Amino acid sequence: KVIDDNAKKVGVPGKDLQVFAAIESSLNPQAKAPTSSASGLFQFTNSTWNDSVKRYGAKHGIDHTDQPTNIKASTIMAGEYMKTNMQSIKQTVPNPGLVEAYLAHFLGAGGARTFLNANPQAVGAFVFPQAASANRSIFFDGHKPRTIAEIYAHVAERLQNAAKAYGISGVSISKTFPIRSSKTTGNMSSVELA
């Protein structure tokens, strides 16, 4: 309920933020990542949190004394971050969905654009070595590195599993990976993933 109420203040779907919080922290506002500075429901790193508070905080009465472990502040910042990222991703994918939104949350908007423009068969850990180092379960299947297309499918599956595990219904999660056409027009096509 707290996530839904605060998502509405920002104008983003509460269910999408619930899924993000479920996958990022198992809905634990005190969660702390062992491999980075990420903390709170949405696992904001210190730099992303500080940037978000600087950009959007005054509009919502949130300042530098609020922390990512504050449910209200964290949800509002995650919603604002999602809105901004979705606008940025639209340069690459005209109709981004929840997987693209999560990629932007996870990699930043620029990282998501790089991801979505990458060769789907490229090894994700080579494209994103720092992110792969901190998030092995996304970039590797055991010891086998995942391709960009496999990472996309894995993220979609994780989002679906989190929604199901936490009883979050009415969430649309596509497994269709958008790829650029071979023409230089920037038109998008898609590849259906298993």
Side-chain angles (χ1 to χ4, degrees), residues 34-103:
T35 58
S36 73
S37 65
S39 65
L41 279 175
F42 301 96
Q43 293 294 285
F44 277 100
T45 61
N46 290 341
S47 61
T48 303
W49 178 257
N50 291 334
D51 180 57
S52 295
V53 170
K54 187 183 220 180
R55 291 177 77 180
Y56 316 113
K59 178 164 89 171
H60 299 286
I62 297 168
D63 64 28
H64 69 279
T65 63
D66 291 301
Q67 298 299 311
T69 53
N70 175 312
I71 297 171
K72 177 184 175 185
S74 186
T75 300
I76 290 170
M77 292 298 100
E80 290 285 6
Y81 189 58
M82 176 189 273
K83 274 185 8 184
T84 300
N85 286 341
M86 292 299 271
Q87 284 301 314
S88 181
I89 294 170
K90 285 181 181 180
Q91 298 170 9
T92 304
V93 179
N95 297 307
L98 192 57
V99 175
E100 290 81 10
Y102 184 75
L103 289 168

Side-chain angles (χ1 to χ4, degrees), residues 155-166:
V155 167
E157 182 179 3
R158 284 181 66 163
L159 291 166
Q160 286 177 324
N161 290 343
K164 184 176 179 181
Y166 289 92

